[in-house]
Amino acid sequence: MGFLSAKLLPSCESMCVCCPALRPSSRRPVKRYKKLLAEIFPKTPDGAPNERKIMKLCEYAAKNPLRIPKIAKFLEQRTHKELRAAHVSFVRIITEAYSKLLFICKEQMAYFAISLVNVLTELLESKQENVHILGCQTLANFINSQVDNTYARNIESLVRKVCALSHQQGEEHRLLRAASLQCLSAMIWFMKEHSYIFADFDEIVKSVLENYRTEESVVGGDRHASQHNWVDEIARSEGRPGIGGGNDVNISSATVRLRPARNSSALTRDERESPEVWSHICVQKLAELAKESTTMRRVLDPMLSYFDTKKQWTPRHGLALLVLSDMAYPEKSSGNEQLILTAVIRHLDHKNVSRDVQTKSDIIQTATSLARQLRSRGYAAELVVAGDLCKHLRKTLEAVELGSVEDLNSNESLQNFLEDCLMEVVRGINDVRPLYDMMAITLENLPSIPTVARATLGSLLILSHIISLTSASSNTPMVFPEALLQQILKSMVHPDIDTRVGAHHMFSAIIVQGPSHLRSESEYLYETKKQSRNTSVFASATALLEKLRREKDSLSSDKPRNMMHDDVKERNTHEEDNKYVWSQKNSAYFSKLIFSIIERYAKLSSSVEEANIAMLTEDQTNQLLSAFWIQANQTDNTPFNYEAIGHSYSLTVLSSRLKNSSNSNIVQFFQLPLSLQSIALTPSGVLPASCQRSIFILSTSMLAFTGKVCHITELSDLLRCFTSPKVDPYLRIGEDLQLYVRLHSDLGSYGSESDQEVARSILSDCRTKVGINDQRVLDVIASALSSFSEVSLVREWCNFPNFLGSSLNAIACY
């Protein structure tokens, strides 16, 4: 009756006063969830929440999932009400209820997720900081409860709001920044777990780094310096000084980490309230997110841009090295940590830093430290890094040559930093053959423009010296790379004079390998600050030649002790000579360029046991001799070109002698200098008289050196009359029978009319002396080489080009 009267017959409400349907609502039975919802709130705003009732409500919801939407709707409406009334304690109870629902009713999340997102949006848009903290913490719980990316778009819509909260400055907002970073940490975890990158990902990275930087500046420089000391610790553990320039060496096998990885679930209360801790956790999770090359680039791009705009690349006081070090030490290694170094090097081409030399120098220093750090963990840098460094080294060398005086110091400093970084990268590469292939490809496209050609070859020359210094020793000498040799031979006949000299320098650096057991000492010497840029470019090559000469008993057994002392004195004199020569205006380009490399490991010449020289095949030897013939007959040669040819020839002789194989081509080593001597003494030849004079002194040096290597002691006595200082005012033959540019020679007057007249007079006197000793020289050579069937070819020294045949034509076509 009551139901019918109330529903079907509404008019009875004013008539039937005894109907049960019309009794007061307070007398009706209340739903249980409404009672539980009412009980979770205290009777006064200052009352404590009832944790037991909240758990009871969540358990009821888990058993009655159909009631969850109504529970969520009530909580959402209550949130609006309490926010308007500014009852933060009631809002905290609501967020706690939602958090427990997320934990207990995870499988029924679809019933209340949208309601929770609405509540979170309102909390983050509130004007009260305590409410913001509650919103960030609840959002972090919501994100951590996700099992798929169903609500990825809803979470993404809140990213900017959280990032804005993390930018609040001041110590009074410390808890807010910590809560917002905790939320950002959960977002980064979500992106990693569900392979979903938010559209505002750059804002997340910026917020993380901004708080990292803020904490660094607040705490002070002491903690920053102590954390940065990992670079020096790693250096000291390897037995060498760190980047700080300290000289103390502490041998240790331990590798020092910047900071240990943190577990966000095991933080103390102070750590949970620290923005610095959460920013570190965020960086750690960003490293875990970058498990592939694509995501690594997506993570690093906003980081590197932030370092640019905030000027954070300074190694000692900037943020870049600390953050990138954290990135390189993830809790779970992905195996792609070397991609960080690759990205940093490639960032040098970014428009933000491409024209800022100081910033580029800071980036390179950071990259050097990263390379050292990664190598200490056993990671080898990608070969492309070496190629990129060579490219930037080439650009820097061009800037050094073409730049103004004001920019000279900054560009030279950048060049030194690039060399240091290249040194660290090459040290981590075990197999250097791909580097040689890269060098060959670069030389294949060597431009004809002198400035660009010199810079390109200069960068490869520096790389060659570094490879020679850091390459591991082997019981079997390395065979000279064939493809690279072909391109070096082409560079030796380049139109630019200095480029041709640089090609010889490169050949010398590659064919002579540095000792391996003194690697720590060599690296220390390499990293020392250079004092001058005016010394001999061939100092290291000469020292290595001396080691090889002393190493051979046949070359030193008959030498008196006083002559050994004279050799040392002679070498010292030679260094002084070249310090003057290469300080002149007309000095060779490459002579100044590679001083910083040579000086840093010049003391390696004190070692005798570990000398190593690459082998040359018989075909390679023939090609080199053909190339030397062509180069010596070029009309635009300078004294530096002849000196370079002489040194390359000496190395070729030593390589052929050391390979302990058939010496069937030893005749060619005598035939080349004899043929050059014939060209030099030909009256009215096609070459200028000054060139003929230089060729004559070159051929004499070649012949004397070859005779000494082959134990023909009488040959040196016969040629001693041509080593007089009066023969050539620009070139001299040292006691080691090497050809050197003469001290205080006026290179600017080389080839002038007056010099041509003097050269003709000198050549006339030389023809007379050679005519007297000619037959005797040939008899001495033939007697010494009587064991070879080709000895009759020595007497055909005038027909050297025909003897070389196809090899000469191949070189000539270059």
Side-chain angles (χ1 to χ4, degrees):
M1 178 61 183
F3 175 78
L4 293 176
S5 63
K7 301 299 180 181
L8 301 180
L9 302 171
S11 60
C12 70
E13 182 177 354
S14 60
M15 299 170 60
C16 305
V17 295
C18 297
C19 180
L22 298 179
R23 62 187 175 182
S25 59
S26 61
R27 303 288 300 275
R28 298 173 190 171
V30 180
K31 301 296 182 183
R32 189 181 179 203
Y33 74 90
K34 292 184 179 179
K35 182 180 179 180
L36 292 173
L37 284 170
E39 290 176 347
I40 66 175
F41 295 97
K43 294 181 179 180
T44 61
D46 297 335
N50 194 328
E51 297 286 346
R52 186 178 63 85
K53 294 295 183 180
I54 294 176
M55 285 297 300
K56 205 168 185 179
L57 173 65
C58 295
E59 292 173 356
Y60 171 82
K63 296 176 181 179
N64 301 275
L66 296 179
R67 296 293 188 184
I68 295 179
K70 294 182 179 180
I71 296 174
K73 183 177 181 181
F74 175 85
L75 292 174
E76 182 179 351
Q77 292 174 349
R78 188 65 183 264
T79 302
H80 301 330
K81 177 183 175 181
E82 302 303 339
L83 284 175
R84 287 193 298 269
H87 293 161
V88 179
S89 59
F90 284 176
V91 175
R92 181 177 286 105
I93 293 173
I94 295 172
T95 57
E96 187 174 347
Y98 270 120
S99 298
K100 285 185 167 56
L101 281 174
L102 290 170
F103 178 74
I104 297 175
C105 305
K106 181 178 294 187
E107 296 180 357
Q108 294 84 24
M109 189 183 299
Y111 290 109
F112 64 92
I114 299 302
S115 174
L116 177 56
V117 171
N118 295 334
V119 171
L120 291 172
T121 302
E122 191 164 357
L123 293 178
L124 295 176
E125 291 177 351
S126 174
K127 296 182 180 180
Q128 301 182 56
E129 183 169 315
N130 291 339
V131 176
H132 292 158
I133 295 174
L134 291 175
C136 291
Q137 293 174 346
T138 307
L139 178 56
N141 293 333
F142 176 66
I143 296 173
N144 290 327
S145 301
Q146 301 302 306
V147 294
D148 53 32
N149 59 357
T150 302
Y151 302 102
R153 293 297 181 89
N154 304 96
I155 299 173
E156 187 175 13
S157 64
L158 302 175
V159 170
R160 283 192 174 272
K161 293 180 174 63
V162 177
C163 291
L165 297 177
S166 68
H167 291 164
Q168 298 293 328
Q169 300 296 323
E171 187 65 21
E172 65 275 10
H173 301 296
R174 179 182 177 85
L175 295 179
L176 177 59
R177 294 200 307 272
S180 60
L181 287 170
Q182 179 183 359
C183 186
L184 293 178
S185 172
M187 290 180 177
I188 297 172
W189 171 87
F190 178 86
M191 289 186 286
K192 176 180 73 73
E193 289 296 321
H194 305 294
S195 301
Y196 187 95
I197 302 296
F198 294 149
D200 295 322
F201 179 76
D202 291 3
E203 289 296 322
I204 295 177
V205 175
K206 180 180 178 181
S207 299
V208 171
L209 297 180
E210 190 68 27
N211 283 275
Y212 206 129
R213 180 187 63 81
T214 301
E215 273 310 305
E216 291 296 332
S217 60
V218 170
V219 175
D222 292 340
R223 193 194 66 79
H224 189 289
S226 64
Q227 288 187 355
H228 187 85
N229 283 339
W230 67 270
V231 179
D232 293 332
E233 291 294 335
I234 292 176
R236 282 191 287 269
S237 71
E238 297 172 353
R240 53 179 176 75
I243 64 174
N247 294 325
D248 56 321
V249 178
N250 182 19
I251 304 299
S252 174
S253 59
T255 300
V256 179
R257 287 255 338 237
L258 174 62
R259 286 184 297 191
R262 294 183 185 270
N263 185 357
S264 57
S265 62
L267 298 178
T268 64
R269 179 178 178 179
D270 292 340
E271 289 174 335
R272 285 197 301 270
E273 296 176 354
S274 171
E276 178 192 16
V277 172
W278 284 110
S279 63
H280 176 223
I281 293 175
C282 287
V283 172
Q284 176 183 319
K285 292 187 176 181
L286 285 172
E288 296 173 0
L289 172 63
K291 57 186 176 182
E292 297 177 355
S293 58
T294 303
T295 52
M296 176 68 80
R297 181 176 180 181
R298 185 68 182 88
V299 170
L300 288 177
D301 282 349
M303 277 189 178
L304 302 182
S305 297
Y306 178 85
F307 298 149
D308 296 339
T309 56
K310 298 296 183 178
K311 305 297 182 183
Q312 292 292 325
W313 283 109
T314 306
R316 279 293 182 185
H317 306 290
L319 184 65
L321 183 56
L322 289 174
V323 174
L324 294 176
S325 298
D326 276 353
M327 290 286 293
Y329 273 114
E331 187 175 6
K332 296 180 180 179
S333 178
S334 63
N336 292 324
E337 285 76 13
Q338 67 272 20
L339 296 178
I340 299 175
L341 179 61
T342 304
V344 171
I345 296 300
R346 289 187 171 177
H347 188 67
L348 293 171
D349 292 323
H350 196 276
K351 61 181 180 180
N352 293 345
V353 299
S354 59
R355 298 182 181 276
D356 189 344
V357 178
Q358 182 58 49
T359 302
K360 291 173 73 173
S361 297
D362 293 338
I363 293 175
I364 290 299
Q365 292 181 73
T366 301
T368 303
S369 299
L370 284 175
R372 186 180 299 123
Q373 177 186 4
L374 291 171
R375 181 174 50 80
S376 69
R377 299 186 63 202
Y379 292 112
E382 294 182 325
L383 292 175
V384 68
V385 174
D388 290 340
L389 286 173
C390 285
K391 179 186 70 174
H392 290 289
L393 192 55
R394 173 183 60 80
K395 292 180 180 179
T396 305
L397 293 176
E398 287 186 53
V400 169
E401 186 173 4
L402 300 177
S404 60
V405 178
E406 293 78 7
D407 299 332
L408 181 61
N409 291 334
S410 59
N411 284 319
E412 287 184 346
S413 177
L414 176 59
Q415 174 189 336
N416 291 335
F417 291 136
L418 284 167
E419 293 173 4
D420 293 336
C421 188
L422 190 59
M423 176 78 170
E424 289 297 332
V425 169
V426 174
R427 286 181 62 200
I429 299 176
N430 295 325
D431 187 3
V432 297
R433 288 175 296 181
L435 290 178
Y436 289 136
D437 294 337
M438 179 200 73
M439 296 163 65
I441 294 173
T442 304
L443 288 177
E444 186 177 4
N445 302 315
L446 190 65
S448 58
I449 302 174
T451 303
V452 181
R454 288 196 296 267
T456 302
L457 195 60
S459 63
L460 297 181
L461 175 60
I462 292 173
L463 176 59
S464 301
H465 277 277
I466 292 175
I467 293 175
S468 176
L469 173 63
T470 60
S471 59
S473 62
S474 174
N475 293 330
T476 304
M478 177 193 74
V479 177
F480 202 99
E482 179 64 29
L484 182 56
L485 179 62
Q486 297 302 321
Q487 301 307 321
I488 291 178
L489 292 177
K490 290 172 60 176
S491 303
M492 287 180 177
V493 291
H494 191 275
D496 179 59
I497 300 174
D498 287 333
T499 302
R500 299 203 295 264
V501 175
H504 286 277
H505 291 225
M506 188 172 176
F507 172 76
S508 301
I510 294 173
I511 198 171
V512 179
Q513 300 297 312
S516 61
H517 77 288
L518 293 177
R519 180 171 296 180
S520 296
E521 178 184 356
S522 66
E523 287 156 7
Y524 170 74
L525 292 172
Y526 178 85
E527 291 167 354
T528 56
K529 183 178 179 181
K530 67 179 183 179
Q531 305 295 329
S532 174
R533 298 184 66 88
N534 300 318
T535 192
S536 170
V537 69
F538 288 114
S540 61
T542 304
L544 288 167
L545 286 172
E546 285 299 304
K547 287 195 297 179
L548 295 172
R549 185 175 59 83
R550 292 194 304 268
E551 194 173 81
K552 288 292 180 179
D553 294 337
S554 60
L555 299 181
S556 59
S557 58
D558 298 331
K559 192 165 190 176
R561 182 169 299 179
N562 59 341
M563 292 185 66
M564 295 291 291
H565 176 74
D566 293 340
D567 276 0
V568 173
K569 183 177 180 180
E570 173 67 23
R571 286 193 298 273
N572 294 335
T573 303
H574 164 60
E575 289 189 9
E576 294 297 326
D577 291 358
N578 284 286
K579 285 181 181 179
Y580 174 83
V581 170
W582 279 304
S583 65
Q584 303 304 307
K585 180 179 179 181
N586 296 325
S587 61
Y589 170 82
F590 292 99
S591 302
K592 293 181 177 181
L593 172 63
I594 65 172
F595 168 76
S596 60
I597 302 294
I598 291 177
E599 181 185 334
R600 291 173 182 179
Y601 60 91
K603 291 185 180 180
L604 291 177
S605 59
S606 61
S607 171
V608 179
E609 292 79 13
E610 294 291 334
N612 190 14
I613 190 167
M615 292 194 307
L616 291 169
T617 65
E618 186 172 343
D619 183 60
Q620 289 176 336
T621 301
N622 289 334
Q623 293 181 36
L624 282 166
L625 295 177
S626 303
F628 297 154
W629 168 267
I630 294 174
Q631 297 158 42
N633 283 276
Q634 290 182 298
T635 58
D636 59 345
N637 282 337
T638 66
F640 290 103
N641 293 100
Y642 295 112
E643 182 190 46
I645 294 172
H647 279 269
S648 295
Y649 172 84
S650 300
L651 289 171
T652 305
V653 172
L654 290 173
S655 175
S656 176
R657 182 68 176 172
L658 289 176
K659 67 181 182 177
N660 296 324
S661 60
S662 173
N663 290 321
S664 59
N665 59 353
I666 196 171
V667 176
Q668 289 94 302
F669 286 109
F670 287 97
Q671 197 164 17
L672 173 60
L674 291 173
S675 302
L676 289 175
Q677 189 181 86
S678 176
I679 294 294
L681 298 179
T682 300
S684 302
V686 296
L687 295 174
S690 58
C691 291
Q692 286 184 297
R693 177 190 58 200
S694 299
I695 292 176
F696 177 78
I697 196 72
L698 170 65
S699 64
T700 303
S701 172
M702 288 178 171
L703 198 60
F705 185 86
T706 308
K708 193 168 188 178
V709 171
C710 294
H711 322 293
I712 310 177
T713 56
E714 188 178 356
L715 186 60
S716 299
D717 298 333
L718 293 173
L719 298 175
R720 191 174 300 277
C721 60
F722 301 115
T723 61
S724 170
K726 298 180 180 180
V727 175
D728 195 316
Y730 303 98
L731 295 169
R732 67 180 181 85
I733 300 177
E735 288 294 328
D736 57 358
L737 303 181
Q738 295 291 300
L739 192 65
Y740 301 111
V741 176
R742 190 175 293 279
L743 173 65
H744 300 305
S745 58
D746 184 11
L747 297 175
S749 62
Y750 181 82
S752 62
E753 289 297 331
S754 59
D755 184 42
Q756 300 288 354
E757 291 296 329
V758 174
R760 294 188 187 96
S761 175
I762 293 175
L763 289 173
S764 177
D765 295 338
C766 289
R767 291 188 192 98
T768 304
K769 296 179 181 179
V770 170
I772 298 174
N773 295 334
D774 187 18
Q775 189 61 42
R776 179 59 182 161
V777 169
L778 292 178
D779 291 340
V780 169
I781 296 175
S783 176
L785 303 181
S786 58
S787 60
F788 295 92
S789 59
E790 299 90 341
V791 81
S792 59
L793 296 175
V794 178
R795 301 184 180 277
E796 300 177 7
W797 47 273
C798 293
N799 297 323
F800 177 71
N802 296 330
F803 177 80
L804 291 173
S806 59
S807 298
L808 180 60
N809 295 330
I811 299 298
C813 71
Y814 292 152

